[in-house]
């Protein structure tokens, strides 16, 4: 009955005319707050990849890079747990997560992952700063580095395993987008916190991470078809474009800052971190926006039905 | 056990909405407002509205039975919506606390004392049914009157329905009845009559609540081809594992390249 966006030049022929109940949304928008759960997605990435940097620094004799990685990981995981509790409303509610273990629930898997990872990060930084129990500290640091990559990418599964069109349709590329974004942001924090003598790996990782972040993001939106529009419009569009511009600037700065001074490295690092934050929040906003308009639910499902009929 | 909602005999009296609210002692959905959407001021299912009657005003020629004279160029569709109690229920799969469970009647129910208000089920539901209640921060939806059917009673909405638009019973029995009803309507010239949510081969492997509709599902605010999201979960875990290895490999490369 209600047709929306009729005459919108960008819409496809099928997207141009569709039925809905007075234009009302079909799906419920996520109950999650952008600040807490959007932040949670970002901080988990910062923490997980920073743990890998910490282990690399420890292995290759770069103590300041190692310590910066451990500190960033602890700040990241600490704040992300705080954001999760804030979203749940009460700390005791987090304990309900540990009542059971369910492989069908990415949130359950993630809770156990964080429950194993957070103490390792805490121990590794504590022993580094105090100089006590160095052996346990090294073991904890390597343990955190083994779990770290999973901490950075499970959040992509967490949001993709929903009916939210802009999240679910991207489930193949989302983990790689998060992987690149986490690598770039951890590299950014290392660039800010470590002297030039030790920041070589961070400079190279900044470029690698940014390349993956931008490529996975582009591929994801392209493969989604019309749902990809949710990433280009409104608040999500602004965040994604700002994030991409900052990422390019940050990666270029990181690549060129090798001979440059501290100021260039710090500036590039800050740009990389801001870029990742913008892109994660952009992904979050695009998901919310894609639940608000019934078009994103009806049109792809109609296309799927038409495809199934034409095959039989 | 489940529901068959035959919208062709719904008269939009909202007795089901009220009976559900009364029996389950559901709070109002604040704030009350007149929506201007025909006679629908409820708008959608929510944490505190487990049955919702949609009113659709359509410009469509209405004919007498068996393709006779055109009697009007406007028609009304009324339909009572409810939780679908999916066979493959995404809400139940993603719940991290085990608060959502499958009952002995094959229905899906939330345990309020276990729910921690994470809201994952809300985003997982492909029908937009379950929601978080603002006052207590917990997720709520239709229980198919778990407390009543356990005592051998009929769910409150089905009990209150004056036209038998809402029928409760064994799913196979309901499906036989529904199929016969669609055939009757088709024979009488109502060619748009179709069943929705009854097919065990659909994206959620069939519903514990299915419907007889007189138009496309999206006209009623229902998704045309909903999918249980956890169907893709094994592929998601594989992509995640590969991406995690990419993080490790990327950072190791960044360390190794400088040597």
């Amino acid at each position: 009955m209600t047709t929306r966006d009729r005459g919108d030049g960008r819409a496809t022929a099928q997207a141009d005319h569709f039925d809905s109940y007075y234009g009302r949304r079909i799906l419920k928008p996520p109950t999650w707050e952008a600040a807490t759960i959007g932040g949670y997605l970002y901080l988990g990435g910062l923490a997980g990849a920073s743990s890998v940097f910490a282990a690399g620094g420890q292995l290759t004799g770069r103590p300041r890079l190692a310590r910066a990685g451990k500190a960033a990981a602890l700040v990241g995981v600490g704040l992300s747990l705080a954001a999760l509790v804030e979203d749940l409303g009460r700390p005791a509610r987090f304990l309900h997560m540990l009542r059971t273990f369910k492989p069908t629930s990415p949130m359950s898997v993630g809770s156990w992952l964080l429950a194993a990872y957070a103490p390792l990060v805490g121990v590794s930084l504590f022993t580094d700063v105090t100089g006590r129990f160095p052996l346990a500290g090294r073991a904890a640091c390597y343990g955190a580095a083994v779990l770290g990559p999973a901490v950075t990418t499970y959040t992509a599964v967490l949001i993709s395993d929903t009916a939210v069109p802009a999240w679910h349709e991207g489930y193949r590329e989302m983990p790689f987008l998060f992987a690149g974004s986490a690598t770039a942001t951890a590299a950014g924090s290392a660039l800010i916190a470590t002297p030039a003598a030790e920041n070589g790996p961070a400079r190279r990782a900044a470029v690698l991470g940014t390349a993956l972040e931008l490529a996975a993001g582009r591929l994801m939106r392209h493969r989604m078809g019309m749902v990809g529009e949710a990433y280009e419009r409104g608040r999500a569009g602004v965040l994604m474009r700002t994030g991409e511009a900052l990422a390019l600037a940050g990666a270029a700065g990181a690549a060129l800052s090798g001979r440059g001074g501290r100021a260039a490295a710090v500036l590039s690092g800050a740009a990389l971190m801001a870029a990742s934050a913008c892109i994660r929040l952009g992904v979050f906003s695009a998901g919310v926006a894609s639940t608000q308009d019934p078009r994103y639910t009806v049109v792809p499902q109609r296309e799927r039905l038409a495809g199934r009929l034409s095959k039989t | 056990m489940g529901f068959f909602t035959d919208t062709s005999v719904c008269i939009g009296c909202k007795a089901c909405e009220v009976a559900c609210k009364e029996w389950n002692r559901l709070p109002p959905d604040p704030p009350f407002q007149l929506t201007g959407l025909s006679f629908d001021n409820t708008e959608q299912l929510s944490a505190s509205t487990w049955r919702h009657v949609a009113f659709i005003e359509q410009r469509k020629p209405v004919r007498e039975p068996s393709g006779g004279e055109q009697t009007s160029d406007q028609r009304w569709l009324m339909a009572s919506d409810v939780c679908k109690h999916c066979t493959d229920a995404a809400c139940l799969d993603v719940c991290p606390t085990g608060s959502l469970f499958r009952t002995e009647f094959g229905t899906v129910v939330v345990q309020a004392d276990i729910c921690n208000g994470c809201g994952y089920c809300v985003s997982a539901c492909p029908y937009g049914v379950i929601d978080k209640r603002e006052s207590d921060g917990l997720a709520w939806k239709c229980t198919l009157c778990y407390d009543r059917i356990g005592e051998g009673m009929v769910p409150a909405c089905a009990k209150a329905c004056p036209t038998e638009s809402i029928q409760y019973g064994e799913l196979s029995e309901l499906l036989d009845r529904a199929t016969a009803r669609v055939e009757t309507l088709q024979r009488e010239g109502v060619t748009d009559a179709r069943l929705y949510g009854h097919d065990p081969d659909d994206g959620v492997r069939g519903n514990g609540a299915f419907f007889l509709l007189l138009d496309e599902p999206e006209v009623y605010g229902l998704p045309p081809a909903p999918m249980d999201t956890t169907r893709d979960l094994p592929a998601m875990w594989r992509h995640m594992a590969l991406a995690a290895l990419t993080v490790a490999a990327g950072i190791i490369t960044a360390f190794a390249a400088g040597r």
Side-chain angles (χ1 to χ4, degrees):
Chain A
M1 298 229 295
T2 314
T3 49
R4 302 254 303 254
D5 285 5
R6 192 178 270 195
D8 180 339
R10 301 177 48 122
T12 65
Q14 273 169 306
D16 208 32
H17 178 93
F18 80 108
D19 286 322
S20 74
Y21 183 61
Y22 300 106
R24 297 283 136 161
R25 64 182 183 221
I26 289 176
L27 300 172
K28 292 278 184 292
T31 59
W32 302 325
E33 293 288 333
T36 51
I37 298 302
Y40 175 78
L41 299 178
Y42 169 76
L43 292 163
L46 170 65
S50 292
S51 285
V52 185
F53 274 105
Q58 190 165 281
L59 255 174
T60 60
R62 291 182 173 92
R64 300 183 62 174
L65 180 61
R67 183 171 292 181
K70 292 169 189 176
L74 189 66
V75 170
V77 74
L79 287 179
S80 82
L81 283 172
L84 184 59
V85 165
E86 165 67 23
D87 197 69
L88 293 175
R90 279 185 237 136
R93 285 185 173 169
F94 178 75
L95 296 177
H96 286 216
M97 299 275 194
L98 306 178
R99 278 183 77 248
T100 174
F101 177 78
K102 283 174 74 178
T104 62
S105 170
M107 197 182 280
S108 168
V109 174
S111 300
W112 284 102
L113 188 60
L114 285 181
Y117 171 77
L120 290 175
V121 171
V123 169
S124 88
L125 182 65
F126 175 79
T127 56
D128 190 334
V129 172
T130 60
R132 303 179 66 184
F133 313 112
L135 209 63
R138 292 180 81 84
C141 177
Y142 295 135
V146 169
L147 296 180
V151 171
T152 66
T153 53
Y154 93 87
T155 44
V157 182
L158 175 77
I159 63 167
S160 301
D161 190 29
T162 59
V164 176
W167 292 345
H168 184 82
E169 299 294 324
Y171 75 82
R172 294 173 189 84
E173 297 85 9
M174 194 79 80
F176 293 95
L177 169 63
F178 279 26
S181 153
T183 305
T185 199
S189 80
L191 281 174
I192 293 174
T194 48
E198 290 190 15
N199 77 5
R203 280 187 278 118
R204 289 183 288 274
V207 176
L208 285 175
T210 299
L212 181 60
E213 178 178 43
L214 297 184
R218 286 290 160 117
L219 181 66
M220 178 174 90
R221 280 142 63 188
H222 176 71
R223 287 240 307 218
M224 274 182 192
M226 67 84 72
V227 178
E229 284 172 12
Y231 287 89
E232 287 157 20
R233 295 180 175 178
R235 195 180 139 82
V238 172
L239 284 166
M240 293 304 285
R241 284 190 293 276
T242 309
E244 288 186 351
L246 279 170
L248 282 174
L256 301 175
S257 73
R259 314 260 175 298
R262 286 285 298 137
V266 169
L267 221 64
S268 314
L272 288 164
M273 294 183 79
S276 286
C278 283
I279 289 177
R280 301 283 180 129
L281 290 174
V283 167
F284 187 88
S285 300
V288 175
S290 74
T291 59
Q292 297 283 13
D293 189 337
R295 208 159 52 96
Y296 294 116
T297 305
V298 174
V299 174
Q301 293 190 12
R302 275 282 156 217
E303 281 167 5
R304 197 163 72 223
L305 272 181
R308 202 185 299 159
L309 285 179
S310 69
K311 263 183 228 154
T312 50
Chain B
M1 304 300 278
F3 283 131
F4 165 46
T5 306
D6 178 353
T7 70
S8 70
V9 293
C10 178
I11 53 169
C13 69
K14 282 184 178 270
C16 53
E17 261 191 57
V18 176
C20 176
K21 284 253 181 196
E22 288 277 341
W23 178 264
N24 294 297
R25 299 192 179 177
L26 299 178
D29 278 297
F32 176 75
Q33 53 179 4
L34 294 171
T35 60
L37 308 176
S38 190
F39 289 97
D40 184 3
N41 295 308
T42 314
E43 291 188 74
Q44 58 185 338
L45 294 174
S46 75
S48 307
T49 298
W50 300 348
R51 269 275 179 193
H52 161 239
V53 179
F55 289 73
I56 299 129
E57 293 179 51
Q58 277 188 329
R59 290 243 164 254
K60 256 196 178 170
V62 178
R63 293 181 185 285
E64 299 215 327
S66 311
E69 291 282 295
Q70 180 174 330
T71 53
S72 165
D73 66 347
Q74 178 170 6
R75 74 165 176 176
W76 283 83
L77 299 177
M78 296 153 209
S80 177
D81 193 14
V82 70
C83 170
K84 315 301 180 290
H85 296 275
C86 309
T87 305
D88 284 344
C91 59
L92 191 159
D93 287 337
V94 303
C95 175
T97 66
S99 158
L100 278 143
F101 72 106
R102 174 94 45 199
T103 70
E104 65 271 37
F105 303 103
T107 55
V108 180
V109 172
V110 193
Q111 303 172 82
D113 55 338
I114 308 291
C115 174
N116 71 347
C118 75
Y120 206 1
C121 52
V122 176
S123 291
C125 176
Y127 293 97
V129 169
I130 193 164
D131 205 4
K132 198 163 145 176
R133 190 180 288 163
E134 210 139 292
S135 57
D136 55 21
L138 303 179
W140 297 93
K141 70 167 193 71
C142 160
T143 67
L144 219 143
C145 280
Y146 187 41
D147 52 346
R148 288 176 64 95
I149 63 179
E151 298 292 321
M153 290 191 284
V154 166
C157 55
K159 185 81 183 170
C161 180
T163 66
E164 295 193 331
S165 171
I166 299 172
Q167 303 177 21
Y168 164 79
E170 278 290 344
L171 277 171
S172 56
E173 195 181 305
L174 291 175
L175 187 60
D176 289 344
R177 220 179 290 165
T179 313
R181 174 69 184 154
V182 171
E183 279 165 12
T184 307
L185 284 169
Q186 292 270 0
R187 219 173 22 246
E188 285 176 359
V190 188
T191 49
D192 282 341
R194 89 269 324 261
L195 295 184
Y196 173 81
H198 63 295
D199 183 359
D201 294 327
D202 70 11
V204 299
R205 287 207 298 129
N207 290 320
F210 64 100
F211 300 80
L212 190 160
L213 304 179
L214 298 178
D215 205 336
E216 300 290 353
E218 53 266 36
V219 168
Y220 296 86
L222 296 166
M227 198 66 129
D228 168 29
T229 178
T230 44
R231 180 176 286 207
D232 297 320
L233 191 57
M236 290 179 198
W237 286 129
R238 280 198 298 278
H239 283 88
M240 179 219 134
L242 207 60
L245 287 176
T246 309
V247 173
I251 297 175
I252 289 169
T253 307
F255 273 95
R259 306 229 113 194

